[in-house]
Amino acid sequence: MKKGLTLLLTALMVLTMVWFPSAASAAEQETETPRIIHVVYDDSTSMYRYQYYGGLAYEYFDKWCRARYSLEVFSALMGEQDTMRIYPLNLQGQAALSLSGSQSPQERVDLIHQMEDNLGGTPYSTVTKAYEALKDESSEAERWLVILTDGDFANSSNTLKPASEIDKEFEKYVKEGIKIAFLGIGKDATNLPKQKTGDGIYVWKAATSSEILQSVTSISNTIFQRQQLPDSCVKLSGNTLTLDFDVPMENLVIFAQGDEAQLTGWDEKTFYRGETASVTWLDRIPGPLAGDRDDIPFARDLSGILASFSSSSDETPIPAGSYSFSVSGLKSVQVYYKPSVVLSISLTQNGEPLNGKMPTEGTVTGKLTLKDPVTGEEIHSKILSGAVFSGTLIQDGEEVTWEGDSFTLELTDGSAELHARAELSGYNYVESTLSFEPKSLLGGLVIRADVRDGIPLESLSDEPAVTYSFYYKNPQTGDEIPLTDEQLATLEFQVERVNQEGGGLQLLTSATDGGSGRKVTLDYAVNKSGKEKPLSTFTGTLVLKASGSFVTGGERLRGELVTEIRILPAGWLQTLKWIWEEFWWLIMLLLILICAAILIYAAFIRPAKFLLGPHGISAEPSMTVTRNPGTIRAEIRHDPIQTCGILFGPRYKPFKPQQATVIIGCHGMEHFRFTIEAVKRGGNNRMRLSGLIEALNQPMYSHVTIDGIELDQVRPDRIVGYHMQIHYRRTVGRRTEEYDVQL
């Protein structure tokens, strides 16, 4: 770009966007950023021929000729600060040529035209060498690795390198800041890497040799940020070429093809013609294939010129319009262009366009548009109608992205950067960057609070928990002045709960009487259906954050206040009432289940245990008798039994005799008989058998102890011997068992 035009565009952008100094057109980006391009060029034998049946038959191609012609066109489109190095696949990883944008386009074309092909295979090692050399280049330049090949790459072991491995290699390259353009040539080019334009990996395929030129020019337009003018804007009629475009142009490149193609006339008041390069097909083949010259096809239809045009004025780009050129010998023509447009960012805050004013913290809306750098007017262009807009806001170390030409952002206090991008067709783009520091408005609004502290939960919503009032803080005097009605009309106010844990709660905000303040009433938590849930409501210290803003003097001032409110638990009677109200159905259900269990046990389970009968009944009781002077002591002993419990498992219960009959006599005669019965503790019986009661209460087995039987009723000299017989019965469940024990 010419120096004067660059200065003009910069000044215009400052005037039209004020604090958008980094907005730039695509043309300016090329001047600012040099490019280093390493081209891996396929010079393998398969570009000329493919052998069948071990060399008994061959198929010949013109891919080599069309690829070489396309590479010459590619070099002619370089910018003045660009560098290109060409790495033939079969030159053992070394660059055959190094071209500079400072050379004339024709000089670059001639050097490529003279380059020799080395023939051979398609080793991937050449790609690696080109990448390693490119990685060592300056990272301040835009670095591109361009690969043109018709075959599958081979590993060092001469085996196929799968596309998955190539993808991994390319991912490593782009992490180094290198962009990749890959062209697969031929219908059999299927082992292609994945296209990832977002990461800088672009993939083309030329299924036929006639598609090679279009693919390579598309690659060059992507790298050099040009676009091809649609065919509807290019008309060739006889010796007149008419170009019609609706955007200002930074420059045009006319690629006219034909053996005798010439551009003979143009509007010199509008256009300045730059350097021109002639390109033509290569009529030379490598020496090893000299014997196949008659069979190898040549692309004899490839010949043409590339002419660059810019504005004849140092101050303005080429205006939009319709222009005619005098030509001759043209068979076809393509026109590549760089639009001279800027990406404008328009911001609006509080309903007012900023128009160069620094934004304040808060909500801003914006619009992205393409504009004429001279007039500042928005461009409505058919050829740029497919532009896709996006952007990113970077503030406080965080990024917020959006898609589309409209956006809404929340700005905070502190420096920020806004990056906007418009992607044009063919991976071309225009960018703008806006740096600013939103003005802080915090403190202009003073919020005061009247807090109702220590609120019992049962009277939570009876009265407002906190009432807020608002004041304007005069920045000069520091005085706090109540807001006017006009300022209150612009008041935006909200209250949020800071501590979210510990239970639910409703915050109900409303205006106070007269509307000068705001009151917040607390209410119980609710479920999804809106029913109040007092038992799930928060108790403890509630932290509320109030924030608000109002407009005065065209600026929205804001303020914040944090308050604490203690909510006390309800009394136990109220809590029981809430429990009954909320869980009465569950309580009733539990009571019903308990009653049902008791009835089932009494009606079915307890009888079933005795119907099944006890298990492990001990043998008949045993009796021991001791005789002391004047006293006979008898003891009956038996073990407990195990009963079958249906609900609670087996239980051990001792036998407890209920009644026993004692007979004492001698010489087989009954002297006397008496009956004893079990009585409650503390009861009396005729025989003063107090030991019986304690025996009956032992846990694992029971005693029947007959003590205190006085024999003085019988004359001792008449007692030669005696016998004792005890007969007693016991009840087990609903059965009665009787036993006789004799001694």
Side-chain angles (χ1 to χ4, degrees):
M1 181 189 294
K2 299 179 182 179
K3 182 177 180 181
L5 181 56
T6 302
L7 293 174
L8 174 65
L9 291 176
T10 303
L12 285 169
M13 284 182 288
V14 172
L15 290 173
T16 57
M17 291 182 284
V18 187
W19 31 272
F20 294 69
S22 55
S25 68
E28 290 172 322
Q29 292 167 16
E30 176 204 357
T31 303
E32 294 173 358
T33 306
R35 300 175 181 85
I36 301 176
I37 307 165
H38 285 193
V39 180
V40 177
Y41 173 75
D42 193 344
D43 64 344
S44 63
T45 307
S46 62
M47 294 287 284
Y48 292 84
R49 70 181 187 186
Y50 183 81
Q51 65 179 19
Y52 297 91
Y53 311 113
L56 298 178
Y58 293 96
E59 180 180 2
Y60 295 92
F61 311 104
D62 64 353
K63 294 183 289 185
W64 64 277
C65 190
R66 295 186 181 275
R68 180 67 67 90
Y69 180 82
S70 301
L71 189 58
E72 293 176 9
V73 173
F74 188 7
S75 70
L77 297 173
M78 291 171 58
E80 292 182 358
Q81 299 186 56
D82 297 338
T83 301
M84 179 183 293
R85 295 185 178 89
I86 300 176
Y87 290 78
L89 270 178
N90 292 281
L91 197 59
Q92 299 176 345
Q94 298 189 19
L97 291 175
S98 180
L99 308 176
S100 171
S102 60
Q103 297 170 305
S104 69
Q106 191 62 58
E107 184 178 357
R108 297 192 295 268
V109 168
D110 292 343
L111 288 172
I112 293 177
H113 199 79
Q114 297 164 10
M115 186 176 66
E116 295 289 343
D117 286 345
N118 300 281
L119 306 181
T122 52
Y124 190 81
S125 58
T126 302
V127 178
T128 303
K129 293 288 188 181
Y131 153 71
E132 291 175 347
L134 186 58
K135 182 180 66 173
D136 295 336
E137 297 285 356
S138 172
S139 58
E140 295 181 358
E142 187 175 304
R143 295 172 295 176
W144 282 87
L145 177 62
V146 180
I147 302 170
L148 314 177
T149 181
D150 79 328
D152 296 330
F153 281 111
N155 286 309
S156 56
S157 58
N158 204 30
T159 57
L160 173 68
K161 189 176 185 68
S164 59
E165 290 187 13
I166 298 176
D167 288 334
K168 291 181 180 179
E169 295 285 345
F170 284 4
E171 289 174 3
K172 180 177 70 174
Y173 299 170
V174 296
K175 287 180 180 178
E176 296 287 344
I178 295 173
K179 298 180 180 181
I180 300 171
F182 184 98
L183 172 61
I185 300 173
K187 62 181 180 179
D188 296 327
T190 57
N191 195 36
L192 303 177
K194 294 179 181 178
Q195 175 160 280
K196 299 179 180 179
T197 57
D199 295 334
I201 301 175
Y202 305 87
V203 178
W204 286 263
K205 178 179 178 179
T208 62
S209 59
S210 60
E211 297 174 7
I212 296 175
L213 177 61
Q214 181 62 38
S215 298
V216 173
T217 54
S218 179
I219 291 174
S220 70
N221 286 338
T222 299
I223 295 175
F224 302 128
Q225 287 293 289
R226 291 189 179 93
Q227 296 172 261
Q228 182 171 337
L229 203 61
D231 292 342
S232 59
C233 299
V234 180
K235 296 180 181 179
L236 179 60
S237 178
N239 292 330
T240 301
L241 172 65
T242 303
L243 305 182
D244 188 2
F245 43 86
D246 54 7
V247 293
M249 295 295 181
E250 181 63 31
N251 62 47
L252 299 170
V253 175
I254 298 177
F255 181 23
Q257 295 192 78
D259 293 340
E260 303 294 334
Q262 295 291 330
L263 296 175
T264 58
W266 53 87
D267 183 359
E268 295 184 357
K269 294 182 179 180
T270 303
F271 295 98
Y272 168 78
R273 177 170 176 170
E275 295 180 295
T276 302
S278 298
V279 290
T280 188
W281 58 279
L282 182 65
D283 63 352
R284 184 181 69 257
I285 60 173
L289 295 178
D292 298 291
R293 182 177 179 86
D294 293 339
D295 298 313
I296 296 175
F298 293 80
R300 303 177 189 274
D301 59 321
L302 297 181
S303 183
I305 59 172
L306 291 103
S308 174
F309 291 88
S310 59
S311 175
S312 60
S313 170
D314 291 342
E315 300 178 350
T316 60
I318 303 171
S322 180
Y323 301 95
S324 297
F325 295 79
S326 298
V327 298
S328 63
L330 270 63
K331 293 182 179 179
S332 64
V333 62
Q334 290 85 39
V335 179
Y336 311 123
Y337 69 93
K338 290 182 180 179
S340 181
V341 296
V342 292
L343 179 58
S344 171
I345 307 174
S346 302
L347 296 182
T348 300
Q349 193 168 46
N350 301 323
E352 298 291 335
L354 291 179
N355 293 330
K357 292 173 58 178
M358 186 67 67
T360 61
E361 57 181 347
T363 303
V364 296
T365 59
K367 181 77 173 177
L368 303 180
T369 53
L370 296 174
K371 290 189 175 182
D372 187 310
V374 176
T375 65
E377 295 180 355
E378 183 176 352
I379 293 175
H380 300 281
S381 168
K382 290 183 178 180
I383 63 176
L384 298 181
S385 60
V388 178
F389 298 90
S390 62
T392 302
L393 172 68
I394 303 175
Q395 191 171 27
D396 297 330
E398 297 183 356
E399 293 187 4
V400 178
T401 61
W402 77 88
E403 300 288 339
D405 60 351
S406 299
F407 58 90
T408 300
L409 300 171
E410 290 295 328
L411 303 181
T412 58
D413 184 18
S415 60
E417 283 190 354
L418 195 154
H419 300 278
R421 180 185 179 103
E423 291 191 7
L424 311 177
S425 62
Y427 311 119
N428 298 302
Y429 60 89
V430 183
E431 291 183 326
S432 279
T433 298
L434 167 63
S435 298
F436 55 90
E437 187 167 350
K439 178 183 177 182
S440 175
L441 301 177
L442 183 62
L445 173 65
V446 178
I447 304 175
R448 300 296 182 196
D450 181 13
V451 179
R452 173 190 169 206
D453 197 18
I455 306 173
L457 186 60
E458 54 263 41
S459 59
L460 183 63
S461 59
D462 291 354
E463 298 178 17
V466 57
T467 302
Y468 295 98
S469 54
F470 309 101
Y471 303 86
Y472 165 58
K473 186 174 183 178
N474 190 306
Q476 282 77 33
T477 64
D479 295 337
E480 296 180 4
I481 306 170
L483 298 188
T484 65
D485 292 341
E486 183 180 357
Q487 292 168 338
L488 284 171
T490 66
L491 178 67
E492 294 180 358
F493 179 73
Q494 65 177 8
V495 178
E496 59 182 340
R497 179 179 168 185
V498 176
N499 53 337
Q500 298 294 333
E501 68 283 352
L505 198 68
Q506 294 186 79
L507 303 179
L508 307 177
T509 304
S510 60
T512 59
D513 295 339
S516 61
R518 299 291 184 269
K519 57 185 178 181
V520 176
T521 303
L522 307 180
D523 208 346
Y524 301 123
V526 295
N527 58 18
K528 293 181 179 179
S529 61
K531 183 179 179 181
E532 291 185 347
K533 308 282 285 186
L535 295 175
S536 301
T537 300
F538 172 86
T539 57
T541 301
L542 175 68
V543 181
L544 298 180
K545 179 182 178 181
S547 57
S549 64
F550 75 99
V551 176
T552 182
E555 292 184 336
R556 179 168 286 277
L557 306 181
R558 66 184 184 91
E560 296 177 351
L561 180 66
V562 176
T563 56
E564 294 184 356
I565 306 171
R566 289 183 302 117
I567 302 175
L568 306 179
W572 66 273
L573 285 176
Q574 182 63 52
T575 302
L576 289 177
K577 179 183 177 182
W578 284 336
I579 291 174
W580 171 254
E581 290 175 350
E582 186 166 351
F583 300 109
W584 65 267
W585 59 273
L586 181 59
I587 295 172
M588 295 300 296
L589 179 60
L590 290 175
L591 290 175
I592 292 172
L593 292 176
I594 291 172
C595 292
I598 293 173
L599 292 174
I600 292 172
Y601 180 83
F604 301 102
I605 298 175
R606 190 167 180 268
K609 293 195 297 183
F610 301 110
L611 290 175
L612 293 174
H615 297 276
I617 297 179
S618 63
E620 291 188 355
S622 60
M623 181 176 68
T624 59
V625 177
T626 58
R627 182 174 181 274
N628 293 319
T631 303
I632 297 175
R633 181 183 180 85
E635 182 179 275
I636 301 173
R637 182 171 182 167
H638 56 78
D639 295 326
I641 64 170
Q642 176 184 350
T643 61
C644 178
I646 294 178
L647 285 180
F648 307 107
R651 298 180 61 189
Y652 290 91
K653 295 183 177 180
F655 285 130
K656 294 184 177 182
Q658 295 175 323
Q659 190 181 70
T661 302
V662 180
I663 303 172
I664 298 177
C666 61
H667 301 299
M669 298 175 61
E670 180 180 310
H671 284 259
F672 55 84
R673 172 195 301 263
F674 57 88
T675 300
I676 60 175
E677 295 180 352
V679 297
K680 293 182 179 180
R681 185 181 297 274
N684 296 316
N685 58 73
R686 291 171 300 166
M687 303 305 296
R688 303 188 304 276
L689 302 180
S690 61
L692 174 64
I693 303 304
E694 284 75 11
L696 295 180
N697 284 280
Q698 294 190 31
M700 295 305 294
Y701 58 87
S702 59
H703 295 273
V704 178
T705 303
I706 305 171
D707 200 356
I709 302 176
E710 298 179 0
L711 300 180
D712 51 0
Q713 300 178 33
V714 182
R715 292 175 57 183
D717 57 341
R718 295 184 61 184
I719 299 177
V720 179
Y722 63 88
H723 72 271
M724 180 176 286
Q725 175 181 327
I726 297 179
H727 176 84
Y728 76 96
R729 71 173 181 267
R730 62 182 177 180
T731 301
V732 182
R734 295 184 177 181
R735 286 206 312 270
T736 299
E737 299 178 354
E738 296 187 1
Y739 291 92
D740 288 305
V741 183
Q742 300 183 27
L743 180 62

